Amino acid sequence: MLLRCLRAELGKCRRAPVWLAFVVLPVVPAILGTANYLGNIEVLDNAWYSLWSQHTLFSSLFFLPALLGVFCAWQWRLEQAGHNWNSFFTAPVPLADLCLAKLILAAGTSVLAQGCIGGLFVLSGKLVGLPGPLPPELPGWLFCGAVGSISVCAVQLFVSLAVRTFAPPVAFGLAGGILGLLCTAKGWGYLFPYALLCLGMRANNPTMELDLVPFLLSALFYTAAFTALSVWLAQKRDAAAE
C-alpha cells in the first residue's frame, strides 16, 4: 500500500514539477555565498571551509527551510483543494501510508537539494580557483544535512496539514530556520528540529565536531513524533464536513 501511495505522489510531481525548485533555487545561495566569500577573502582565509561556511549560511537559514515549507504546503494543498480531501480520506489504504508517502517524497526532494548544494559548492570553488583537495568531510556534511532536513519535512507536513492556507506554513519554515540558528548559538541545537539542519550541515562552522548520537536520536524523534501527529490529525478530520 505504501508503494502505491508513493507512486501516486510521484505522479502528482510529474504533472506539476515543483521539485525542480530544489534544483534551481540552490543556485541563489551559492551565488550569494560565493560573492560574500570573495568580498571578505582577507578574513575568510580557510579556502574550501570558508566557502562552505558562506554557502550554508544562506541555504540552511533561509532558502532550504522556506523551500521545504513550500513543498510540504503544496503537497497538502492538493488534497485540501475542492473535494480532494474526501477522496484522500476515504481511499482504501491506511492513513499512515498516505502520510508516510508524503514524508518520503519530501525527504527525497530534500536529499536532491543537498546533492545540488554539494555540486554547486564544488563548482563554485573550482571557478574561484580554490587550492587543494575537496574537504573530506563534505559527504558527512551533506548526509547529516539531509537527515536534519527530513525532521524539518515532518514538522512542515504537520503544520501544513493543520493550517489550511498556503502562506503561513512557508513563513513558519522561514522563521524556524532563523530560530534554529539562535538555538544553535545558545547550545540548544539538538533540542530544536530546525537547528538540526543547521548543525548537520555545520552551517557557518564547518570544523565543528558533531555529536552524532544525540543528533540522530533527535532527528528520529522529531520525524517519528510529527509523522504520528500528522496521522492523528488526519484521522480527526471529518471528511463529511469538507
Side-chain angles (χ1 to χ4, degrees):
M1 288 296 184
L2 178 58
L3 289 176
R4 289 177 59 190
C5 294
L6 188 56
R7 283 196 294 268
E9 294 296 323
L10 288 170
K12 295 172 187 175
C13 276
R14 282 195 294 269
R15 289 191 293 271
V18 68
W19 57 269
L20 283 174
F22 288 84
V23 177
V24 176
L25 288 185
V27 174
V28 178
I31 293 173
L32 292 175
T34 303
N36 200 49
Y37 169 76
L38 292 174
N40 298 276
I41 200 166
E42 298 84 3
V43 179
L44 302 171
D45 56 359
N46 201 9
W48 288 100
Y49 293 91
S50 294
L51 181 64
W52 179 258
S53 71
Q54 299 310 297
H55 275 221
T56 54
L57 179 65
F58 291 102
S59 60
S60 69
L61 294 183
F62 304 108
F63 286 90
L64 265 181
L67 195 55
L68 292 172
V70 168
F71 187 77
C72 293
W74 172 79
Q75 282 186 289
W76 278 117
R77 185 64 178 167
L78 293 177
E79 315 303 344
Q80 292 166 343
H83 298 286
N84 289 350
W85 181 255
N86 286 353
S87 301
F88 177 85
F89 192 85
T90 57
V93 293
L95 273 177
D97 287 352
L98 294 170
C99 292
L100 277 174
K102 292 185 181 297
L103 176 63
I104 291 171
L105 185 60
T109 53
S110 67
V111 170
L112 174 64
Q114 289 292 329
C116 291
I117 289 169
L120 289 167
F121 166 68
V122 174
L123 178 61
S124 299
K126 296 296 184 182
L127 288 176
V128 301
L130 288 181
L134 292 172
E137 301 93 340
L138 180 59
W141 295 338
L142 297 175
F143 171 77
C144 291
V147 171
S149 296
I150 293 171
S151 63
V152 171
C153 289
V155 177
Q156 286 295 145
L157 283 170
F158 172 74
V159 173
S160 299
L161 176 60
V163 182
R164 305 212 177 182
T165 52
F166 189 85
V170 178
F172 187 91
L174 182 58
I178 297 171
L179 188 56
L181 176 64
L182 299 177
C183 289
T184 302
K186 292 287 187 180
W188 306 333
Y190 295 103
L191 302 177
F192 188 66
Y194 292 84
L196 297 177
L197 174 58
C198 220
L199 284 173
M201 296 181 74
R202 318 304 200 278
N204 208 30
N205 189 8
T207 59
M208 180 188 70
E209 289 291 333
L210 185 68
D211 200 340
L212 197 58
V213 173
F215 173 81
L216 293 175
L217 288 176
S218 182
L220 178 62
F221 168 77
Y222 280 113
T223 302
F226 277 92
T227 301
L229 284 172
S230 294
V231 175
W232 171 81
L233 183 58
Q235 291 171 338
K236 290 293 182 181
R237 290 284 167 85
D238 184 1
E242 295 297 324

